[in-house]
């Protein structure tokens, strides 16, 4: 196996792609060569390879997740499809359920699979999930001294 070359402007894109570089190294190279440093590792790698081969700077992709405005939430509001558990949702549930509310995995799955139901239904489901969770909690598997009394 050949030794990994330093990431420098004189490197060609094919050689560059045939070796592994940490994202931090890629970002440093971009900074030193006035290339955009935003994006994921794949995007940065593509940008550097293009720069090494052509000297041109690929523009960053302006992909932003579209925010969904859910409007005012009430217990009668329908759960939107593709729900995102946002701070607005957290504030709503904390107001209705209390400070102990948290988006646990089961509740998030329930929300995502029950689009079209109401937020009131979601509140009921949250309490049901908590109850089922309590019932399914298992104790430890150690014997206590009191367990030995049953042997007498």
């Amino acid at each position: 196996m050949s030794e990994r070359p330093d990431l420098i402007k004189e490197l060609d894109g094919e050689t560059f792609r045939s070796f592994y570089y940490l994202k931090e190294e890629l970002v440093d190279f971009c900074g030193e060569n006035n290339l955009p440093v935003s994006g994921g590792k794949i995007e940065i790698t593509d940008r550097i390879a293009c720069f090494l081969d052509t000297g041109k700077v690929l523009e960053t992709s302006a992909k932003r997740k579209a925010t969904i405005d859910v409007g005012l939430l009430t217990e009668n509001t329908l759960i939107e499809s593709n729900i995102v558990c946002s701070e607005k949702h957290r504030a709503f549930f904390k107001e209705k359920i209390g400070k102990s509310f948290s988006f646990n995995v089961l509740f998030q799955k329930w929300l995502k699979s029950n689009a079209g139901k109401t937020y009131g239904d979601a509140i009921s489901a949250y309490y049901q999930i908590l109850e089922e969770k309590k019932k399914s909690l298992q104790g430890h598997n150690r014997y206590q001294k009191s367990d030995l009394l049953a042997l007498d």
Side-chain angles (χ1 to χ4, degrees):
M1 185 172 138
S2 58
E3 190 175 317
R4 183 183 84 157
D6 289 335
L7 183 50
I8 56 174
K9 283 199 289 191
E10 291 71 31
L11 203 59
D12 66 273
E14 186 178 345
T15 304
F16 162 68
R17 285 185 184 273
S18 63
F19 291 93
Y20 179 85
Y21 293 91
L22 297 172
K23 184 176 180 185
E24 181 180 330
E25 295 173 290
L26 303 178
V27 169
D28 288 345
F29 178 83
C30 287
E32 292 165 5
N33 293 282
N34 298 317
L35 300 172
V37 296
S38 64
K41 187 172 181 184
I42 293 171
E43 185 178 353
I44 294 172
T45 299
D46 292 343
R47 190 177 304 131
I48 292 173
C50 176
F51 176 75
L52 292 173
D53 287 338
T54 66
K56 295 181 181 174
V57 178
L58 284 179
E59 293 301 316
T60 59
S61 62
K63 293 179 192 171
R64 300 266 180 191
K65 286 187 178 180
T67 57
I68 301 169
D69 183 22
V70 293
L72 177 66
L73 296 179
T74 67
E75 291 184 37
N76 295 320
T77 303
L78 298 180
I79 299 169
E80 59 275 12
S81 59
N82 301 321
I83 184 172
V84 176
C85 299
S86 68
E87 287 305 313
K88 186 174 191 173
H89 292 94
R90 182 182 311 282
F92 170 79
F93 287 118
K94 279 196 175 221
E95 178 186 321
K96 300 296 180 182
I97 293 171
K99 289 182 179 182
S100 65
F101 171 78
S102 69
F103 280 118
N104 62 53
V105 173
L106 292 174
F107 184 58
Q108 288 184 50
K109 285 181 180 179
W110 188 93
L111 286 169
K112 291 179 187 298
S113 62
N114 285 282
K117 290 192 177 180
T118 67
Y119 280 89
D121 295 332
I123 292 167
S124 299
Y126 182 81
Y127 286 122
Q128 184 178 353
I129 289 167
L130 288 183
E131 277 303 309
E132 289 170 5
K133 204 173 181 182
K134 283 181 191 173
K135 290 176 187 173
S136 69
L137 290 178
Q138 296 182 7
H140 59 78
N141 294 322
R142 295 182 309 268
Y143 287 109
Q144 301 290 321
K145 287 193 182 222
S146 60
D147 295 331
L148 297 175
L149 295 176
L151 297 176
D152 290 338

